C-alpha cells in the first residue's frame, strides 16, 4: 500500500489535533479544573495509537505516530515497544516501522457472534478444538520470539493450559518451527544470526544446520511435532497457515496436549488440521 505523502500526513495531523481540541474543550466545560490522571492518559494513548492504525491502514514509525497524534516521541516509542512485546504490534527492524498483528482482530470476537464469531480463523480454531478435544492456539513471530495470540482452552480433565500472549523460542519450539517454515532459508539464517547475536550464554546458541534441516522437514511433512521441547510432558502439532489478509505476518496453528496423547494421535491431528485449514481458509 502506498505511504501517505507529507502533505497528507500534515492535513491529517491538523484534523486530528482539531478534533482533540474540541474534545478537550468539551471535557473542560463539563469538568472544569480537573486534570487527566497519568494512568488514564497512558490508557488513552494506547487507544489513540490503535485508532491511528485503523485510519492509517499501513505501517508507520513511532516518529510518524508521535507527530500525527501530537504525543511525546519518547513516550510513544516506549508505548509501542510495550504493545509489541505484548503481541499487539509487529516491529519491522529493517524499516523501523510498526503494524498491528492479528491478535488485535481476535480480541472482540466473543462480543458479537454475528460480527466476530463468523470470522474464518476463529471458526477454524473452534472446529479443531471441538474435533480434537485439545487446546488450540494461533501464533505468529514477534521479533525474535514466537507468540500465541489467541488460545481456545481444552476442556479435558487432563489438559495443557496456555495463556494468550505466551512467548516461545522461535528456533526451539514447535510453533517456531512452523513459523520459520513460512520463510525462505535465507531469512531463517538472518533471524538465527540475530538470535545468536543477542544470546549471552554460549550453550544456548542456535546451530543453523540442524535448524534448517528441521525446517525443511516441516515443509516436506506439512507440520511440526514438538514433544517436551518447551514444557515437560507436553507438546504441540503445529502447522503453517496460508497467507491471510487478517495478518501481515505468517501465522501458524497448533494443537497442544500431553505427550502421550500427541504420540498416539499425531497423524490424526495433522490430518484434521490440514482438512480444517482447507475447509475454512480456501478462497
Amino acid at each position: 500500500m502506498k505511504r501517505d505523502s507529507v502533505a497528507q500526513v500534515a492535513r491529517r495531523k491538523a484534523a486530528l489535533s482539531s478534533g482533540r481540541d474540541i474534545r478537550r474543550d468539551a471535557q473542560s466545560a463539563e469538568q472544569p479544573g480537573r486534570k487527566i490522571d497519568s494512568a488514564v492518559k497512558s490508557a488513552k494513548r494506547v487507544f489513540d495509537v490503535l485508532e491511528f492504525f485503523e485510519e492509517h491502514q499501513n505501517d508507520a514509525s513511532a516518529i510518524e505516530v508521535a507527530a500525527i497524534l501530537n504525543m511525546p516521541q519518547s513516550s510513544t516509542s516506549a508505548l509501542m515497544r510495550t504493545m509489541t512485546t505484548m503481541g499487539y504490534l509487529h516491529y519491522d527492524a529493517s524499516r523501523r516501522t510498526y503494524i498491528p498483528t492479528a491478535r488485535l482482530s481476535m480480541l472482540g470476537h466473543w462480543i458479537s457472534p454475528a460480527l466476530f464469531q463468523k470470522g474464518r480463523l476463529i471458526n477454524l480454531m473452534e472446529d479443531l478444538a471441538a474435533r480434537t478435544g485439545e487446546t488450540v492456539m494461533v501464533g505468529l513471530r514477534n521479533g525474535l520470539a514466537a507468540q500465541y495470540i489467541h488460545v481456545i482452552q481444552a476442556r479435558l480433565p487432563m489438559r495443557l493450559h496456555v495463556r494468550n500472549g505466551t512467548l516461545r523460542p522461535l528456533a526451539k519450539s514447535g510453533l517456531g518451527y512452523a513459523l520459520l517454515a513460512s520463510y525462505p532459508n535465507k531469512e531463517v539464517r538472518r533471524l538465527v544470526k540475530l538470535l545468536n547475536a543477542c544470546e549471552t550464554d554460549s550453550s544456548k546458541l542456535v546451530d543453523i544446520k540442524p535448524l534448517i534441516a528441521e525446517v525443511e522437514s516441516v515443509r516436506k511433512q506439512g507440520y511440526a511435532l514438538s514433544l517436551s521441547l518447551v514444557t515437560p510432558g507436553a507438546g504441540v502439532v503445529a502447522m503453517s497457515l496460508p497467507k491471510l489478509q487478517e495478518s501481515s505476518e505468517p501465522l501458524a496453528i497448533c494443537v497442544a496436549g500431553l505427550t502421550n496423547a500427541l504420540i498416539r494421535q499425531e497423524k490424526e491431528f495433522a490430518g484434521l488440521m490440514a482438512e480444517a485449514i482447507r475447509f475454512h481458509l480456501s478462497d
Side-chain angles (χ1 to χ4, degrees), residues 139-157:
L140 48 63
R141 181 173 69 87
N142 184 351
L144 296 177
Q147 185 171 41
Y148 294 122
I149 61 170
H150 191 65
V151 179
I152 296 180
Q153 305 291 350
R155 298 182 179 179
L156 300 172

Side-chain angles (χ1 to χ4, degrees), residues 182-203:
S182 300
Y183 295 96
N185 286 347
K186 181 179 180 181
E187 177 65 7
V188 175
R189 291 189 177 91
R190 186 186 74 86
L191 291 171
V192 169
K193 287 182 179 179
L194 292 174
L195 279 167
N196 286 339
C198 297
E199 183 56 66
T200 56
D201 186 346
S202 60
S203 66

Side-chain angles (χ1 to χ4, degrees), residues 35 50 53 68 93 102 106 108 119 121 201 210 227 236 258 273:
K35 294 183 179 180
L50 296 180
F53 281 110
I68 292 176
M106 305 181 79
L121 195 52
D201 186 346
L227 299 175
V236 300
L258 301 182
M273 293 168 74

Side-chain angles (χ1 to χ4, degrees), residues 21-272:
D21 289 341
I22 293 173
R23 289 195 296 271
R24 280 199 295 267
D25 290 344
Q27 291 168 349
S28 297
E30 293 174 1
Q31 301 172 320
R34 181 175 180 179
K35 294 183 179 180
I36 299 177
D37 180 81
S38 60
V40 174
K41 183 183 292 185
S42 296
K44 179 181 179 299
R45 285 175 174 173
V46 171
F47 290 105
D48 284 342
V49 170
L50 296 180
E51 289 176 356
F52 163 83
F53 281 110
E54 171 65 20
E55 180 182 358
H56 192 59
Q57 294 189 8
N58 202 349
D59 60 345
S61 68
I63 294 175
E64 291 174 302
V65 173
I68 292 176
L69 296 181
N70 195 26
M71 289 163 47
Q73 184 179 325
S74 58
S75 299
T76 305
S77 297
L79 174 63
M80 295 178 74
R81 284 196 298 270
T82 299
M83 295 172 72
T84 299
T85 301
M86 296 181 69
Y88 294 109
L89 296 180
H90 171 74
Y91 180 65
D92 185 336
S94 62
R95 301 179 61 186
R96 298 184 180 180
T97 58
Y98 295 83
I99 195 166
T101 71
R103 187 177 186 189
L104 272 176
S105 65
M106 305 181 79
L107 278 179
H109 76 92
W110 58 275
I111 300 172
S112 175
L115 291 177
F116 295 101
Q117 289 185 356
K118 298 303 179 183
R120 54 183 182 166
L121 195 52
I122 292 296
N123 283 348
L124 166 61
M125 296 182 69
E126 291 179 343
D127 186 10
L128 278 177
R131 296 174 72 179
T132 65
E134 300 286 359
T135 298
V136 176
M137 304 96 75
V138 164
L140 48 63
R141 181 173 69 87
N142 184 351
L144 296 177
Q147 185 171 41
Y148 294 122
I149 61 170
H150 191 65
V151 179
I152 296 180
Q153 305 291 350
R155 298 182 179 179
L156 300 172
M158 298 293 291
R159 63 186 183 273
L160 178 65
H161 183 86
V162 181
R163 294 185 60 187
N164 279 326
T166 297
L167 293 171
R168 290 289 184 256
L170 183 62
K172 296 180 181 179
S173 66
L175 172 60
Y177 293 153
L179 291 171
L180 290 176
S182 300
Y183 295 96
N185 286 347
K186 181 179 180 181
E187 177 65 7
V188 175
R189 291 189 177 91
R190 186 186 74 86
L191 291 171
V192 169
K193 287 182 179 179
L194 292 174
L195 279 167
N196 286 339
C198 297
E199 183 56 66
T200 56
D201 186 346
S202 60
S203 66
K204 295 181 180 180
L205 295 177
V206 178
D207 191 337
I208 185 62
K209 288 186 177 180
L211 178 62
I212 290 293
E214 181 69 36
V215 170
E216 292 283 9
S217 176
V218 171
R219 293 184 186 127
K220 182 177 180 180
Q221 184 173 241
Y223 65 92
L225 175 66
S226 167
L227 299 175
S228 298
L229 193 57
V230 177
T231 303
V236 300
V237 177
M239 190 172 290
S240 302
L241 293 178
K243 176 66 178 176
L244 300 176
Q245 292 182 344
E246 292 91 331
S247 177
S248 59
E249 280 289 303
L251 298 172
I253 192 164
C254 303
V255 173
L258 301 182
T259 299
N260 290 340
L262 292 181
I263 291 175
R264 291 195 312 268
Q265 297 173 278
E266 170 191 347
K267 298 295 184 184
E268 177 187 352
F269 286 169
L272 288 173

